Amino acid sequence: MQITELSGSRFDLALERMIEGYSFTFQDIGFCLSGDGMLDISVDSSWAFDNITTERAVADLKRAQSVYDILRASPAFARSVGNSVPQFILIYDTGNGAVELGRLVGQQIVWAKGFRPTDV
């Protein structure tokens, strides 16, 4: 489900569905509560698979953090996620699904097994 505003019935429905285990997107960033107390925040790489560098990945993940900060300012969103820990995930959309490329752990990117950016 894609939302464009942080209020109204569509936003409320997106939050209800997220609590039920579904995801929604806001500004092309995906949000989903996982069963392990994490809030998965996924961003699609803005670069083609064979052109992803660490610098480019960091820029995409920072964009996801910025969008998360916007959502976090919403009291309804804050109530919905509770104490869930945000987990920022870089993905590559293949058109038939998404592949995880890496996660931001602290200030470091931990690359998914089998993937290396072009600058490593």
Side-chain angles (χ1 to χ4, degrees):
M1 176 176 208
Q2 185 174 18
I3 61 167
T4 57
E5 297 180 17
L6 300 181
S7 62
S9 60
R10 188 167 175 83
F11 181 60
D12 293 339
L13 178 61
L15 294 178
E16 286 175 31
R17 290 182 50 82
M18 180 183 65
I19 291 168
E20 294 170 353
Y22 297 95
S23 64
F24 72 87
T25 60
F26 177 67
Q27 295 186 3
D28 295 324
I29 306 297
F31 295 86
C32 181
L33 285 171
S34 63
D36 58 358
M38 304 295 277
L39 172 64
D40 291 346
I41 303 166
S42 58
V43 58
D44 191 12
S45 174
S46 59
W47 291 87
F49 189 80
D50 54 351
N51 289 320
I52 298 170
T53 64
T54 302
E55 181 180 352
R56 292 170 177 166
V58 167
D60 288 333
L61 290 163
K62 282 186 177 184
R63 185 171 64 83
Q65 288 175 316
S66 296
V67 173
Y68 169 67
D69 289 342
I70 292 168
L71 272 170
R72 202 172 55 177
S74 160
F77 179 80
R79 277 191 307 275
S80 296
V81 299
N83 293 326
S84 298
V85 177
Q87 177 168 256
F88 297 92
I89 305 166
L90 182 67
I91 62 171
Y92 182 75
D93 189 345
T94 65
N96 291 325
V99 176
E100 181 178 328
L101 302 177
R103 296 171 181 251
L104 193 59
V105 177
Q107 297 301 313
Q108 294 286 116
I109 298 176
V110 176
W111 299 108
K113 186 175 182 174
F115 175 75
R116 292 290 171 256
T118 58
D119 62 338
V120 174

